[in-house]
Amino acid sequence: MSTTPTPTKEAPPSPFPTDDPVLSLIGNTPMVDYPGADRGRLRCKLESENPTRSMKDRIAMGILTQALEEGDYDTVVEASSGNTAGAVALVANRLGLTCKLTCPEHTSRSKIGYMKAFGAEVHTCPDVESDHPEHYRAVAQRLAEEEENAFLVDQYHNQGNPTVHYRWTGAEIWSQAGNDMTHLVSAMGTGGLLSGSARRIKEEAEATGRDVRVVGVDAQHSNISTAFYGEEAVPYDTTVEGLGKGGELPTMWFEHIDEMRSVSDEVAFEQARTAAQEHGLLIGPSAGAALSVAMDIHANQPDARVVTIICDGGEQYFDTLFGV
């Protein structure tokens, strides 16, 4: 197999067109060769190039655009300890919606900064069990019910999450690498990014008589992998934000995933540090976990052409990655 990559094609148009100069920056992210691998054999889809440095901008744009087409809303509510909150805050800001966000009290200051920077009302909630009435998801549900015209994004259950990636991210990846790719690798949190993208890519590959193997990446002490393989659950314990879950979610379309691999926190952080310090690519720890799996496939399968999704940048993890 040649090691010369097929030139990137023009990305397909966004399924959520907009004239807004900020929202129009979402999507159409670049795909580049990873500097630490053979040219053309490991490529990175840089979702870190979205406005809030995360692929979550896509689901915020897609879900909120569709919600406004279907209903009369003036307020958006979401529960998130991660990148979704900042993305929802940005999109709500540009769409003229009041935004109310809930997050656990341990949420990093930089992530809360993203929320407040775009004018969101932020409610920090105690770190309690998920069935407690003051859990951040329960508080978000309550806030949405109290508002007359409020829309609850609910990324953990909303099928718009993987559907946005089916219509948008997967289509872009195929246009950029479909002629060459043999593997798609991504970290899984809600599972929407990989599930939706995988469904689209597998459909496109089948239409050309080919197959792309999809590999999901889980935290070592997490239960996405155990749910996928029908194994006994393990105590959930990971420090990598946005990676892993306590169990399966309806936004995980497992039927489009071929394999799950688990990565330790230590490996995820070390790979993210290596990407930055040796190769100038600033990525988050969950992207580091995915990159470590992609590197393993690259090293052990000489004919593989791997695409891994860099789901966010490393700017929000300076304290945990580099001790800043």
Side-chain angles (χ1 to χ4, degrees):
M1 180 180 290
S2 170
T3 58
T4 302
T6 300
T8 298
K9 301 176 184 177
E10 183 178 352
S14 167
F16 309 102
T18 176
D19 292 330
D20 184 273
V22 175
L23 298 184
S24 63
L25 298 174
I26 299 174
N28 194 17
T29 55
M31 184 179 290
V32 300
D33 285 333
Y34 182 59
D38 297 337
R39 185 168 182 264
R41 288 196 50 233
L42 200 171
R43 306 181 75 189
C44 298
K45 176 67 167 167
L46 298 183
E47 288 299 286
S48 53
E49 294 303 301
N50 283 301
T52 72
R53 308 293 290 155
S54 164
M55 60 86 183
K56 295 295 188 179
D57 288 1
R58 293 183 189 262
I59 66 168
M61 180 64 181
I63 290 174
L64 292 184
T65 297
Q66 185 168 344
L68 290 177
E69 290 175 352
E70 297 175 351
D72 184 19
Y73 301 107
D74 53 33
T75 301
V76 58
V77 180
E78 180 59 335
S80 170
S81 60
N83 293 320
T84 301
V88 169
L90 169 66
V91 176
N93 175 293
R94 298 307 304 159
L95 294 178
L97 298 168
T98 298
C99 183
K100 298 186 177 184
L101 301 169
T102 66
C103 61
E105 59 188 359
H106 71 264
T107 302
S108 70
R109 292 176 61 189
S110 59
K111 290 186 177 180
I112 292 176
Y114 262 108
M115 306 176 204
K116 291 187 174 181
F118 301 122
E121 177 184 304
V122 181
H123 299 255
T124 54
C125 304
D127 291 327
V128 293
E129 296 296 325
S130 59
D131 59 352
H132 193 285
E134 293 307 309
H135 187 268
Y136 72 106
R137 293 188 203 172
V139 174
Q141 183 70 47
R142 194 157 62 243
L143 288 172
E145 291 170 353
E146 291 171 356
E147 294 285 342
E148 184 175 352
N149 296 310
F151 175 76
L152 180 64
V153 175
D154 192 13
Q155 64 167 328
Y156 298 102
H157 299 91
N158 191 331
Q159 291 301 297
N161 176 351
T163 299
V164 165
H165 293 298
Y166 169 77
R167 296 179 61 189
W168 200 356
T169 320
E172 277 187 23
I173 292 171
W174 183 258
S175 75
Q176 292 170 312
N179 289 340
D180 298 311
M181 67 188 300
T182 61
H183 293 73
L184 176 68
V185 179
S186 178
M188 292 188 70
T190 68
L193 170 63
L194 183 59
S195 298
S197 298
R199 177 184 168 189
R200 179 59 173 264
I201 287 166
K202 281 187 170 289
E203 288 178 357
E204 298 282 3
E206 184 178 2
T208 63
R210 297 174 51 242
D211 182 46
V212 174
R213 186 166 183 81
V214 176
V215 182
V217 178
D218 191 15
Q220 197 167 62
H221 299 287
S222 165
N223 288 294
I224 302 177
S225 294
T226 58
F228 180 83
Y229 289 113
E231 298 172 348
E232 185 175 346
V234 300
Y236 177 71
D237 182 20
T238 178
T239 58
V240 180
E241 298 176 52
L243 180 67
K245 282 291 175 287
E248 183 180 356
L249 294 172
T251 48
M252 297 175 184
W253 295 348
F254 279 157
E255 65 270 26
H256 306 295
I257 298 170
D258 299 299
E259 176 186 353
M260 290 292 306
R261 297 194 190 185
S262 297
V263 174
S264 70
D265 291 354
E266 293 77 13
V267 168
F269 280 102
E270 186 57 35
Q271 187 69 65
R273 293 187 188 103
T274 298
Q277 295 174 341
E278 296 186 14
H279 304 299
L281 192 62
L282 187 60
I283 67 176
S286 62
L291 183 57
S292 72
V293 171
M295 289 288 289
D296 182 70
I297 296 170
H298 165 268
N300 291 290
Q301 299 184 40
D303 291 335
R305 288 182 177 270
V306 187
V307 171
T308 188
I309 304 175
I310 303 301
C311 47
D312 67 357
E315 297 88 341
Q316 298 185 58
Y317 311 97
F318 283 145
D319 54 345
T320 54
L321 278 173
F322 306 108
V324 175

